[in-house]
Structure formats: structure tokens, C-alpha cells
């Protein structure tokens, strides 16, 4: 663990010697004084804080790597990330072991998103096809958003016509970011999305952060308005969207009108700080949800936004966040 010091170096004045001030013909040249001011940032080692006090029950997981024996008990059922060998249950991926009754599976620490019905995702339109859009949702295959699985502008309820199909690029085009919900998962792993609720649709101005899907905690809601003045959408697919909290909810646009007005400097600073806090939590392998992000934001307030990504500052604010979460759990 290191700490940063900023050491100012004062003026350095040099007076010329008598031999250097005399020019040709014995005439004295004007004296020159060279002054320099500079500041040097130094990082010195300090004692690392003991981690035994900050480790909670949720961090003590059974971690395995490919080839590790999970159990020799034959009464358990084999789940994802495991296989049977020599009457032993062996891990096929690196991750944490999860048990549900008699079912054992290994949740990979780094993996592509595997969709489940009801998940909230943030995706980017990659292609406009006939009566559907292809969406990048950080999964192995592109997801599909059908024209019939979305609300028309204004929330109008009617059958989709040929005119709607011709106007698809006016609704969503390549590069647009959207929030949606998983409607179905096909046999090959592809995901079908829908945006029938008014809280889903095109996203406006904000910051997109891509993390591992295994670090996003599943909750009842993934849309959070934080008291610091910004809102976040925690996509189950690992896409985190940070945007300024709107003053009033637009309920009659059907999710197709994106606010492209300039964002105030104060809102941009809050969003930048939240983004760096999310990166800090991900670097320290902490789960992402509204409480952990808010506690990390509050712990980072004594530091400048650009200093949050320094390793020593990152470790300090994450340790404080973990301690507050443990105190909250009691």
C-alpha cells in the first residue's frame, strides 16, 4: 500500500560568477537570475490495514479453479460449471460455489451475460432488421427487440403496420442505448427483449460503465435515484448507466425522446465521481447495488475526482464502504 505526498521545491537562484559576467572588451554583461518552481508527487509505502476486521460473511466464499474437487458426496446434483469425474464433482470454471438444496453450481467470476426472464438490461442497437432490432447486451449472441415488443410513441396501443416498419430507424437507430427487460430466452442462449413499460426505452445523456455481470447484485428494482443528484440503471448484463436525475418524468413520449440538452457542470462532476466509485468497487471485487455505490460516493467526497482512481485512495474508500456495509448488517 502506498500514499502520495506532494513536495514543493522552492526557488533555485543562480548568480553568475565574475568571470562569466565580463564580455568582450571588459564590459560587464547584465546579470541573469534563473528561478524555478516545481512540485513533485511522491508515493511512499505505508503499513497496510489489517483486512481481518473488514471481512464479512459474504466475502468468505468457496472459490475454486478448473479441476478442483468440490465434493465427493454423490448425493448432490450437478449444475452449471461442474462435471462428474471418478465419482467426484469437479469444477470446470473459476468462480464461487453456490448450493441450492442438493444442486451445486459454480458461478464464474468473469463471464458473458447469460439472460434470465425478468432481467433488466442496458444495451446498444447494432443493426436494424425487418421488424426487429439487434441489440448488444454483453452476451454471446446479439439480443433481439421485436417491433411488436415495444410501445409506439405516445403509448398508442394498436397493431403494427407497414408504416411503422418503415419508420423503425426513426424510433431506434444504430448506436442508440436502450434499457429493456428480458422477455424470453431461446434454446441457443439468445435473448428476446421488450420495452412495453414507460420506464424502458431510449437513453439520453449519461455515462456507460461496463463491468462483469457477476458483480451486479440482483434486486427487486434496478432503477435508482440517488440523493447525490444522479440516477443509475444497474443492468443485470453488466452495463451500468449513470445519468442526471430528471426534474420531471416524461410519461407521454413512449420512451423515444432523449433529452440532449447540455448537462450542468455540477451534474457532470457528480456523474464522474459516481463512475470512478463504480470502477473502484469493481477493482476491489465488491458487489454493485444502490447502497454500496452511495456509501462509496460518500467515502470519496474528501478526495478529488481524479484522485479516486489512485490505488491507495481506491483501497481506502472501498475499505470504508465495506466497513459501513458490515455495520449496517449488524
Amino acid at each position: 500500500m502506498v500514499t502520495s505526498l506532494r513536495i514543493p521545491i522552492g526557488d533555485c537562484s543562480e548568480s553568475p560568477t565574475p568571470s562569466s559576467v565580463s564580455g568582450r572588451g571588459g564590459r560587464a554583461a547584465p546579470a541573469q537570475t534563473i528561478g524555478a518552481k516545481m512540485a513533485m508527487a511522491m508515493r511512499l509505502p505505508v503499513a497496510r490495514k489489517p483486512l481481518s476486521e473488514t471481512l464479512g460473511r459474504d466475502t468468505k466464499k468457496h472459490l475454486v479453479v478448473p479441476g478442483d474437487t468440490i465434493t465427493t458426496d454423490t448425493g448432490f446434483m450437478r449444475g452449471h460449471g461442474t462435471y462428474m469425474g471418478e465419482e467426484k464433482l469437479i469444477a470446470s470454471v473459476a468462480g464461487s460455489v453456490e448450493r441450492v438444496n442438493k444442486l451445486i453450481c459454480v458461478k464464474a467470476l468473469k463471464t458473458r451475460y447469460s439472460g434470465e426472464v425478468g432481467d433488466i438490461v442496458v444495451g446498444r442497437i447494432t443493426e436494424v432488421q425487418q421488424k426487429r432490432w439487434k441489440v448488444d447486451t454483453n452476451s454471446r449472441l446479439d439480443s433481439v427487440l421485436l417491433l411488436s415488443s415495444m410501445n409506439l410513441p405516445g403509448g398508442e396501443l394498436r397493431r403494427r403496420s407497414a408504416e411503422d416498419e418503415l419508420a423503425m430507424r426513426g424510433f431506434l437507430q444504430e448506436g442508440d442505448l436502450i434499457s429493456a427487460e428480458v422477455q424470453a430466452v431461446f434454446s441457443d442462449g439468445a435473448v428476446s427483449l421488450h420495452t412495453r413499460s414507460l420506464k424502458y426505452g431510449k437513453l439520453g445523456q449519461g455515462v456507460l460503465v461496463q463491468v462483469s455481470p457477476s458483480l451486479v447484485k440482483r434486486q427487486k428494482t434496478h432503477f435508482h435515484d440517488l440523493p447525490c443528484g444522479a440516477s443509475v440503471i444497474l443492468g443485470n448484463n453488466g452495463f451500468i448507466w449513470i445519468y442526471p436525475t430528471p426534474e420531471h418524468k416524461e410519461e407521454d413520449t413512449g420512451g423515444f425522446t432523449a433529452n440532449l440538452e447540455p448537462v450542468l457542470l455540477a451534474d457532470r462532476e457528480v456523474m464522474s465521481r459516481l463512475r470512478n466509485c463504480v470502477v473502484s468497487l469493481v477493482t476491489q471485487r465488491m458487489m454493485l447495488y444502490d447502497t454500496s455505490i452511495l456509501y462509496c460516493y460518500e467515502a470519496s467526497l474528501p478526495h478529488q475526482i481524479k484522485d479516486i482512481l489512485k490505488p491507495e485512495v481506491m483501497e481506502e474508500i472501498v475499505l470504508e464502504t465495506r466497513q459501513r456495509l458490515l455495520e449496517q448488517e449488524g
Side-chain angles (χ1 to χ4, degrees):
M1 183 175 179
V2 295
T3 184
S4 296
L5 292 177
R6 195 170 183 84
I7 302 177
I9 300 177
D11 294 342
C12 300
S13 301
E14 296 181 7
S15 299
T17 59
S19 60
S20 63
V21 298
S22 58
R24 296 180 60 182
R27 291 177 298 177
Q32 297 180 357
T33 302
I34 302 176
K37 274 190 176 181
M38 58 186 299
M40 180 181 299
M42 300 182 61
R43 300 171 62 191
L44 303 178
V46 297
R48 184 183 295 271
K49 297 180 181 179
L51 300 180
S52 58
E53 302 176 357
T54 60
L55 289 177
R57 295 184 301 272
D58 57 341
T59 58
K60 297 179 180 180
K61 297 180 179 179
H62 184 191
L63 299 178
V64 293
V65 297
D68 283 354
T69 299
I70 301 175
T71 181
T72 57
D73 190 352
T74 58
F76 287 97
M77 295 169 38
R78 182 175 63 88
H80 292 290
T82 63
Y83 67 94
M84 294 296 297
E86 299 179 358
E87 297 183 355
K88 296 185 295 185
L89 192 61
I90 303 175
S92 61
V93 296
S96 60
V97 178
E98 295 185 353
R99 303 190 181 188
V100 180
N101 297 328
K102 290 292 184 178
L103 177 65
I104 294 183
C105 61
V106 178
K107 185 176 182 181
L109 297 179
K110 289 186 177 181
T111 181
R112 285 282 188 172
Y113 169 64
S114 180
E116 295 183 14
V117 176
D119 283 354
I120 306 299
V121 299
V122 175
R124 186 183 297 275
I125 303 295
T126 59
E127 189 178 352
V128 181
Q129 297 182 344
Q130 184 178 5
K131 296 184 179 180
R132 68 187 62 196
W133 291 269
K134 285 295 186 73
V135 187
D136 175 21
T137 55
N138 196 26
S139 57
R140 291 184 293 271
L141 300 174
D142 281 342
S143 303
V144 177
L145 175 63
L146 297 177
L147 178 61
S148 58
S149 299
M150 59 184 300
N151 282 334
L152 294 174
E156 186 178 359
L157 299 176
R158 59 175 174 81
R159 292 179 62 88
R160 308 302 187 264
S161 60
E163 289 77 9
D164 296 327
E165 186 175 352
L166 293 175
M168 284 178 57
R169 201 175 296 274
F171 301 153
L172 296 171
Q173 59 183 351
E174 292 86 347
D176 286 345
L177 284 168
I178 64 169
S179 60
E181 182 178 338
V182 176
Q183 182 180 17
V185 180
F186 303 120
S187 58
D188 59 353
V191 172
S192 177
L193 308 176
H194 81 88
T195 59
R196 291 195 182 96
S197 176
L198 293 179
K199 63 182 178 180
Y200 306 134
K202 185 189 297 187
L203 301 176
Q205 305 221 63
V207 179
L208 179 66
V209 186
Q210 300 185 20
V211 305
S212 175
S214 61
L215 294 177
V216 180
K217 185 177 181 180
R218 293 184 178 274
Q219 295 179 291
K220 292 182 179 179
T221 176
H222 286 255
F223 294 80
H224 302 285
D225 294 335
L226 302 180
C228 58
S231 301
V232 295
I233 302 177
L234 302 175
N236 290 111
N237 59 333
F239 285 3
I240 312 298
W241 179 251
I242 305 173
Y243 62 101
T245 303
E247 297 180 358
H248 58 278
K249 304 290 184 179
E250 298 180 358
E251 300 180 353
D252 56 348
T253 60
F256 293 101
T257 301
N259 184 11
L260 300 180
E261 296 181 358
V263 181
L264 298 178
L265 176 60
D267 294 335
R268 295 202 302 269
E269 291 178 348
V270 171
M271 292 161 54
S272 301
R273 184 177 294 273
L274 280 174
R275 183 261 177 194
N276 289 351
C277 289
V278 170
V279 173
S280 301
L281 293 173
V282 171
T283 305
Q284 300 294 324
R285 307 300 298 178
M286 279 196 63
M287 296 296 291
L288 295 177
Y289 54 103
D290 55 337
T291 306
S292 64
I293 295 176
L294 181 59
Y295 283 176
C296 187
Y297 176 87
E298 294 175 353
S300 69
L301 290 177
H303 305 279
Q304 296 185 7
I305 298 177
K306 63 180 182 180
D307 295 336
I308 297 177
L309 296 182
K310 292 183 178 179
E312 62 274 10
V313 178
M314 188 182 301
E315 186 173 0
E316 175 188 345
I317 62 177
V318 172
L319 284 176
E320 182 178 344
T321 302
R322 184 181 285 115
Q323 189 67 35
R324 289 188 62 183
L325 293 174
L326 292 176
E327 294 174 356
Q328 182 187 18
E329 294 176 359

